[in-house]
Amino acid sequence: MKFLLVLFIGLCPFFSVTAQGIKGNVTNLDGRPVPYASIFVKGTTIGVSANSDGDFIMRLKPGNYTIECKSVGYTAAQMSVSVDEMITVNFQLKPVQLTLSEVIVKSNGEDPAYAIIREAIKKRTFYNNQINASIVDRYNKDVLSVRKMPQRFFGKKIPTDAFVDMALDTTGKGILYLSESISKVYRKQPDKMKMEVLNSRVSGSDNFGFTFPVVISLYTNNVKVFLEKLNPRGFVSPIADGAISFYRFKFLGNFFENGKMIHSISVTPRRKFEPLFTGTINIIDEDWSIHSYDLFLTRTAQLELVDTVSIKQIQIPVSGDVWQPGSQVVDITFNVLGIGMFGSFLNVYSNYNIDPKLSKKFFDNVIIEYDTSVTNKQRSWWDSIRPQPLNAEELRNYKVKDSIFFTRRDSANTRSMRDSLRKWQGGLKPLSLIIPPGIHRTHYADTSIHDFQWGIEPFMLTTSYNTVEGITSTFIPYFKKNKGESDFVIEPELRYGFYNKHFNPSLNVEWNVKRRKRDEKFLSRSWLLSVGKRVSQFNKKNPIDPLINTMSTIYYGNNYMKIYENYFGELNYNKSWENGMGLDVGLLYEDRIPLENSTIYTKHDGDVANLTPNYPIELMSENFMRHQALSLGASIRFQPGQRYIQLPNNKVSLGSKYPVFSFTYQKGIKGLLGSDVNFDKWRIRAFGSKNLHLVGTLDYQFITGGFLNRKAVQVQDYQHFIGNLTGLLNQAQGSFQLASYYAHSTTAPVYVEGHLDYHLNGLITNKIPLFRKLKFYLVTGANALYVNNNNNYAELYVGLENILKVLRVDFITGYENGTGTLSRIKVGFGGLLASRFMDPYVSGRTRKISNSRAF
């Protein structure tokens, strides 16, 4: 009996794969494969796509069918078949024979293509809105391959053993990532979309692949290709309203398919270094709809991150004059540190329903939803439904990677595997205590449930110099334990000033919980307790980086950072909900102790005269008296229109086109625990980013706030603003790049603040040869603050960003109380990859404690 059961299980894949239908190969007249040809049942939207070798398989119920095979650049072929088992049907496609006989050339010598394009432009909006709603089945396969691998990486020879786990060959070539998904896509005018991912698999993993419904439509003026980072401006459609001013068109000829005349038109940009396509677009005569297209983009189209993008899309008739995408293939190439990469992203659309009955509540804030059993299907099931055969390389990748994965998973808690993990981490290196990234380890116990992470931040990033403590260094170890959907973090901070000999120890303890159940409305919540003694800046926004202050003090005598000591206790609670709302509540007690300068060391003796006392001289004539402060704060934030990806057990926010709004209130409590403060401070903030497509991106932030009660306000509790007197740009949101750090601090009942940052993303600079070659982009903007007629500030700036993808140079002019005060050139981070360096917890410490606080 057991033998029969094993035999049955072994034969199941065979029976499912060999069910009735058709299979075969698509070649050209030379016998070479026609990759990704579209094969579908005529008169229906049932279809599949050939793979890269031209092989295809289509599962059908018994019956008689007319099968049509088509590919861009080839004449469609048809074949009638009778299906009662799996039969072989091969197609040999002929290159399309174009004729000019049906087109009249105008007397003014204009190419006939322009008249066709004008008609297509007139119908663009109609076809974009032709279907009110639709449902379609989608199969996608994403493949990322290594085509070129250097022998050495950062001067070290790459051992061939490193390629084994990745299923690459001995030269380092092969498939790096392979994923497949089955989903349903729902759409409704004007902009509703939802995708249900029913099944997904990833080679060498039991996880699911991340997939997006990327239908690249030319019926929109501005075409988005994958991520906006490929080009934030988007790309101009060849049938956009103003396409004729962007493109040159050439009539290649026409051909007939199923009684319809198809016009084939060459598309080329009028100017290089504009976000424009090159290639061929085929348009149906009289209907003026798109039949198919074969377009590509290169670096001269202002591509970022990748070198080339190729897009092939074939439309199929759905009903009457309604045509929709049947298949789409996007290929990309790029080079990373000498590693040549190739990506292929296939989408096959079938079984269209263009008159579905969808309730008003069907479309919500979840646009991509993964089924809870998305990864449960076995290999045999995938073999039975896949609308495209795997090629030999893909089969090998699944076989090798899955074998490695299951072997490791089954032995995850064995002693040998745990020993291997410990060995893989290597030994501790004393130098890691000093230089980044520091020490970051996982303690592998005998079972994974007892694992934990620990580490020590590098002293290079926690050591600095100031005129109060002299050289100061902070020892920051951490411990982190994950358990299910929660984690527990302990992070001490032990700070010592070598000149004033002050020791300031503190402890941070945090508990984070993420949503456990799919139907729970909250996304995450956390508690953070911090106690001890610390050194703080007068402005809790910490506008002056300690390392920058070190350089400005030693080399110029500009000790901008003003600090005080405090014994403190702080408790914060944070919670976020799936509707985009977040709450921070905090209670803070500080016993504030003044500090004086204890050293006047500068590299140049003449710079000693520039040193100032250790308090904001713009606000005080002498240092403050020791006092206590107890305050309660709360902050509510909300972003309407949030959209999400619903994972099997978690949600991921995709943001919103609307701004983030926040309201913050802080109450200084008099008398309790000896507190000397009595104030009520409020703040309202709105910020966001608007993609203006071809003309750039606008980042904006508007703030208003003030004091409702100011009976007893210490300098630390003023409303401070983020100034900057250094030669570097301050990357913090809402910064003033030339303003003094404390000159505009206030206790006024009301103030207003605004910031605009306009990134042109290649507009204008693509007309300047050197700038467009180097991909330098213009950026301009303004920052303004108004408290009253005697306290206001504004600045304007213009600059270049995306220098080496990370740098930015600005020329700034500031106006103090309506009068021009200063102009300077400053350098900072700004560009495509700049965010990697602008986050202090990424570019510097790998801090484990969150930065979400009510104050």
Side-chain angles (χ1 to χ4, degrees), residues 698-717:
L698 180 66
D699 298 330
Y700 57 88
Q701 180 174 206
F702 301 102
I703 302 170
T704 184
F707 281 80
L708 299 176
N709 159 37
R710 46 182 176 172
K711 291 181 181 178
V713 186
Q714 297 293 330
V715 171
Q716 290 92 335
D717 303 310

Short mmCIF file of all heavy atoms in Angstrom, two decimals, residues 698-717:
data_model
loop_
_atom_site.label_atom_id
_atom_site.label_comp_id
_atom_site.label_asym_id
_atom_site.label_seq_id
_atom_site.Cartn_x
_atom_site.Cartn_y
_atom_site.Cartn_z
N LEU A 698 8.51 68.54 -6.39
CA LEU A 698 8.45 69.62 -5.40
C LEU A 698 8.26 69.02 -4.01
O LEU A 698 7.26 68.35 -3.75
CB LEU A 698 7.31 70.58 -5.71
CG LEU A 698 7.13 71.76 -4.74
CD1 LEU A 698 8.34 72.70 -4.83
CD2 LEU A 698 5.83 72.51 -5.02
N ASP A 699 9.22 69.26 -3.12
CA ASP A 699 9.09 68.89 -1.71
C ASP A 699 8.66 70.13 -0.94
O ASP A 699 9.21 71.22 -1.15
CB ASP A 699 10.41 68.36 -1.15
CG ASP A 699 10.88 67.11 -1.86
OD1 ASP A 699 10.02 66.34 -2.34
OD2 ASP A 699 12.11 66.91 -1.96
N TYR A 700 7.72 69.96 -0.03
CA TYR A 700 7.20 71.14 0.67
C TYR A 700 6.94 70.82 2.14
O TYR A 700 6.72 69.68 2.52
CB TYR A 700 5.91 71.62 0.01
CG TYR A 700 4.82 70.58 -0.06
CD1 TYR A 700 3.91 70.40 0.98
CD2 TYR A 700 4.72 69.73 -1.16
CE1 TYR A 700 2.92 69.43 0.92
CE2 TYR A 700 3.73 68.75 -1.23
CZ TYR A 700 2.84 68.62 -0.20
OH TYR A 700 1.87 67.65 -0.25
N GLN A 701 6.99 71.87 2.95
CA GLN A 701 6.70 71.75 4.37
C GLN A 701 6.22 73.10 4.90
O GLN A 701 6.87 74.13 4.66
CB GLN A 701 7.96 71.31 5.13
CG GLN A 701 7.73 71.15 6.61
CD GLN A 701 8.93 70.58 7.34
OE1 GLN A 701 8.79 69.98 8.39
NE2 GLN A 701 10.12 70.76 6.80
N PHE A 702 5.09 73.11 5.57
CA PHE A 702 4.53 74.33 6.15
C PHE A 702 4.23 74.07 7.62
O PHE A 702 3.64 73.03 7.99
CB PHE A 702 3.26 74.75 5.41
CG PHE A 702 3.48 75.00 3.95
CD1 PHE A 702 3.10 74.05 3.01
CD2 PHE A 702 4.09 76.16 3.50
CE1 PHE A 702 3.32 74.27 1.66
CE2 PHE A 702 4.31 76.38 2.16
CZ PHE A 702 3.93 75.44 1.23
N ILE A 703 4.62 75.02 8.46
CA ILE A 703 4.52 74.85 9.91
C ILE A 703 3.98 76.13 10.53
O ILE A 703 4.33 77.24 10.11
CB ILE A 703 5.90 74.54 10.53
CG1 ILE A 703 6.50 73.27 9.90
CG2 ILE A 703 5.80 74.39 12.05
CD1 ILE A 703 7.95 73.03 10.30
N THR A 704 3.13 75.97 11.52
CA THR A 704 2.76 77.09 12.37
C THR A 704 2.69 76.58 13.80
O THR A 704 2.46 75.39 14.04
CB THR A 704 1.41 77.70 11.96
OG1 THR A 704 1.14 78.85 12.77
CG2 THR A 704 0.27 76.71 12.11
N GLY A 705 2.93 77.47 14.75
CA GLY A 705 2.95 77.05 16.15
C GLY A 705 3.08 78.25 17.05
O GLY A 705 2.96 79.41 16.62
N GLY A 706 3.36 78.00 18.33
CA GLY A 706 3.52 79.08 19.29
C GLY A 706 3.23 78.62 20.70
O GLY A 706 3.16 77.43 20.99
N PHE A 707 3.06 79.61 21.59
CA PHE A 707 2.79 79.35 23.00
C PHE A 707 1.42 79.89 23.39
O PHE A 707 1.10 81.06 23.13
CB PHE A 707 3.86 80.02 23.88
CG PHE A 707 5.17 79.26 23.94
CD1 PHE A 707 6.08 79.36 22.90
CD2 PHE A 707 5.47 78.45 25.02
CE1 PHE A 707 7.28 78.66 22.94
CE2 PHE A 707 6.66 77.75 25.06
CZ PHE A 707 7.57 77.85 24.03
N LEU A 708 0.61 79.03 23.99
CA LEU A 708 -0.67 79.47 24.56
C LEU A 708 -0.47 80.03 25.97
O LEU A 708 -1.22 80.90 26.42
CB LEU A 708 -1.65 78.29 24.62
CG LEU A 708 -2.01 77.64 23.27
CD1 LEU A 708 -2.89 76.43 23.50
CD2 LEU A 708 -2.69 78.64 22.35
N ASN A 709 0.54 79.50 26.64
CA ASN A 709 0.88 79.93 28.00
C ASN A 709 2.39 79.95 28.11
O ASN A 709 3.06 79.00 27.75
CB ASN A 709 0.26 78.95 29.01
CG ASN A 709 0.95 79.00 30.36
OD1 ASN A 709 1.36 80.06 30.83
ND2 ASN A 709 1.08 77.83 30.99
N ARG A 710 2.95 81.05 28.59
CA ARG A 710 4.41 81.17 28.70
C ARG A 710 4.80 81.81 30.04
O ARG A 710 5.67 82.66 30.11
CB ARG A 710 4.96 81.98 27.53
CG ARG A 710 4.18 83.27 27.24
CD ARG A 710 4.74 83.98 26.04
NE ARG A 710 3.91 85.16 25.72
CZ ARG A 710 4.22 86.07 24.81
NH1 ARG A 710 5.35 85.95 24.13
NH2 ARG A 710 3.42 87.09 24.59
N LYS A 711 4.17 81.35 31.10
CA LYS A 711 4.41 81.93 32.43
C LYS A 711 5.82 81.65 32.92
O LYS A 711 6.44 82.48 33.58
CB LYS A 711 3.37 81.39 33.41
CG LYS A 711 1.96 81.89 33.15
CD LYS A 711 0.99 81.33 34.16
CE LYS A 711 -0.44 81.81 33.88
NZ LYS A 711 -1.42 81.24 34.85
N ALA A 712 6.33 80.43 32.64
CA ALA A 712 7.69 80.08 33.08
C ALA A 712 8.32 79.18 32.03
O ALA A 712 8.10 77.97 32.03
CB ALA A 712 7.65 79.39 34.44
N VAL A 713 9.08 79.81 31.13
CA VAL A 713 9.68 79.08 30.02
C VAL A 713 11.20 79.23 30.10
O VAL A 713 11.72 80.35 30.06
CB VAL A 713 9.19 79.61 28.65
CG1 VAL A 713 9.72 78.73 27.53
CG2 VAL A 713 7.67 79.68 28.61
N GLN A 714 11.89 78.11 30.24
CA GLN A 714 13.34 78.12 30.22
C GLN A 714 13.84 78.08 28.77
O GLN A 714 13.10 77.71 27.85
CB GLN A 714 13.88 76.91 30.99
CG GLN A 714 13.53 76.92 32.48
CD GLN A 714 14.21 78.03 33.24
OE1 GLN A 714 15.31 78.47 32.89
NE2 GLN A 714 13.57 78.51 34.30
N VAL A 715 15.09 78.46 28.57
CA VAL A 715 15.64 78.55 27.22
C VAL A 715 15.53 77.21 26.49
O VAL A 715 15.25 77.16 25.29
CB VAL A 715 17.12 79.01 27.26
CG1 VAL A 715 17.76 78.90 25.89
CG2 VAL A 715 17.20 80.44 27.76
N GLN A 716 15.71 76.11 27.19
CA GLN A 716 15.63 74.79 26.55
C GLN A 716 14.23 74.51 25.98
O GLN A 716 14.08 73.67 25.09
CB GLN A 716 15.99 73.69 27.55
CG GLN A 716 17.45 73.67 27.94
CD GLN A 716 17.74 74.51 29.18
OE1 GLN A 716 17.00 75.45 29.49
NE2 GLN A 716 18.81 74.18 29.89
N ASP A 717 13.21 75.20 26.50
CA ASP A 717 11.83 74.94 26.09
C ASP A 717 11.31 75.96 25.09
O ASP A 717 10.14 75.89 24.70
CB ASP A 717 10.93 74.92 27.33
CG ASP A 717 11.38 73.91 28.36
OD1 ASP A 717 11.61 72.74 27.96
OD2 ASP A 717 11.54 74.27 29.54
#
